Amino acid sequence: DAGVIQSPRHEVTEMGQEVTLRCKPISGHNSLFWYRQTMMRGLELLIYFNNNVPIDDSGMPEDRFSAKMPNASFSTLKIQPSEPRDSAVYFCASSLLRRESPLHFGNGTRLTVT
Amino acid sequence: GQNIDQPTEMTATEGAIVQINCTYQTSGFNGLFWYQQHAGEAPTFLSYNVLDGLEEKGRFSSFLSRSKGYSYLLLKELQMKDSASYLCAVAGSGGGADGLTFGKGTHLIIQP
């Protein structure tokens, strides 16, 4: 299996621009998670989906952040407008809907907002 | 809510043994995971504990005490490639399907 695939790997943008991050989960996994990682705050859960349905978006920092999962093989995380404090590594992860199932992470998108 | 504590940094010598501790306070508990993350890479799964006791997997072992809210990861026969961050993560009442809450990670430095 190819694993979780994220694009782009790196994104540099100016403040105020829209940013869209993309994720393809592992085939057959029915849970998908978006995390953000910074030195100060570590890995933070932003939102997750079970069977393509958003379950909990309480980790989304502001209304500028939105996420969609139109089908089982694709999800997007959008930031509009972006701000310098959004600079971080954004990880997508997928897993099976079982208690003991580990998260499988993509390689992340390193976002820099100038 | 969840609160997870682990040391920020540890140093150990190649060939030796190191124990990385993790303590947690949670409103629900459905298992504890350990992940390894090399610099610039994604976290990768190491172990899962849901019952008290020790789980051994090659050079790595993980221990859990639910009554104490405590876990440790034990790494034996340390190799230079073990230099990485080690993340402790707790599954809440909904299990892993509700996402994991991660500690900030322990940066392990292996010296020759």
Side-chain angles (χ1 to χ4, degrees):
Chain A
D1 201 312
V4 176
I5 299 172
Q6 289 187 248
S7 64
R9 287 298 308 275
H10 302 274
E11 176 80 33
V12 181
T13 190
E14 292 183 348
M15 183 174 63
Q17 296 298 306
E18 177 179 299
V19 175
T20 300
L21 312 181
R22 297 172 176 79
C23 175
K24 176 178 168 54
I26 291 173
S27 177
H29 282 188
N30 40 21
S31 292
L32 183 139
F33 308 83
W34 283 100
Y35 280 86
R36 177 172 69 176
Q37 187 173 39
T38 60
M39 289 292 292
M40 289 295 295
R41 302 174 68 90
L43 264 172
E44 301 174 282
L45 178 63
L46 300 177
I47 185 172
Y48 70 93
F49 298 81
N50 286 342
N51 294 316
N52 313 340
V53 176
I55 303 300
D56 185 354
D57 65 354
S58 60
M60 298 283 259
E62 298 172 32
D63 291 345
R64 298 184 295 106
F65 287 68
S66 63
K68 295 181 180 180
M69 191 166 187
N71 57 61
S73 59
F74 183 66
S75 177
T76 59
L77 178 68
K78 185 177 293 186
I79 308 172
Q80 166 63 22
S82 58
E83 296 183 2
R85 60 191 166 130
D86 302 331
S87 297
V89 180
Y90 290 80
F91 286 103
C92 175
S94 70
S95 75
L96 295 169
L97 256 174
R98 288 202 296 263
R99 178 179 72 171
E100 70 277 15
S101 293
L103 302 185
H104 296 262
F105 285 83
N107 286 327
T109 295
R110 180 173 295 277
L111 174 65
T112 303
V113 183
T114 59
Chain B
Q2 320 270 34
N3 187 43
I4 301 172
D5 290 311
Q6 48 182 133
T8 303
E9 187 174 285
M10 298 181 69
T11 302
T13 303
E14 190 177 14
I17 299 173
V18 71
Q19 177 175 312
I20 302 174
N21 296 325
C22 170
T23 57
Y24 62 90
Q25 297 91 39
T26 62
S27 55
F29 180 81
N30 227 327
L32 188 143
F33 294 78
W34 283 95
Y35 282 79
Q36 179 189 59
Q37 186 177 25
H38 285 101
E41 298 183 8
T44 56
F45 169 72
L46 289 177
S47 67
Y48 171 71
N49 295 70
V50 68
L51 300 177
D52 290 352
L54 188 68
E55 295 277 345
E56 297 186 78
K57 192 186 293 185
R59 293 190 299 115
F60 293 8
S61 301
S62 56
F63 172 83
L64 176 67
S65 169
R66 289 171 296 171
S67 62
K68 295 182 179 178
Y70 169 69
S71 174
Y72 67 73
L73 181 69
L74 191 71
L75 292 74
K76 303 176 185 176
E77 302 169 15
L78 286 170
Q79 302 174 9
M80 297 302 292
K81 67 178 181 179
D82 297 330
S83 292
S85 284
Y86 292 85
L87 306 170
C88 172
V90 173
S93 55
D98 283 351
L100 303 179
T101 300
F102 283 83
K104 292 187 177 180
T106 298
H107 183 209
L108 177 63
I109 301 167
I110 309 299
Q111 296 177 334

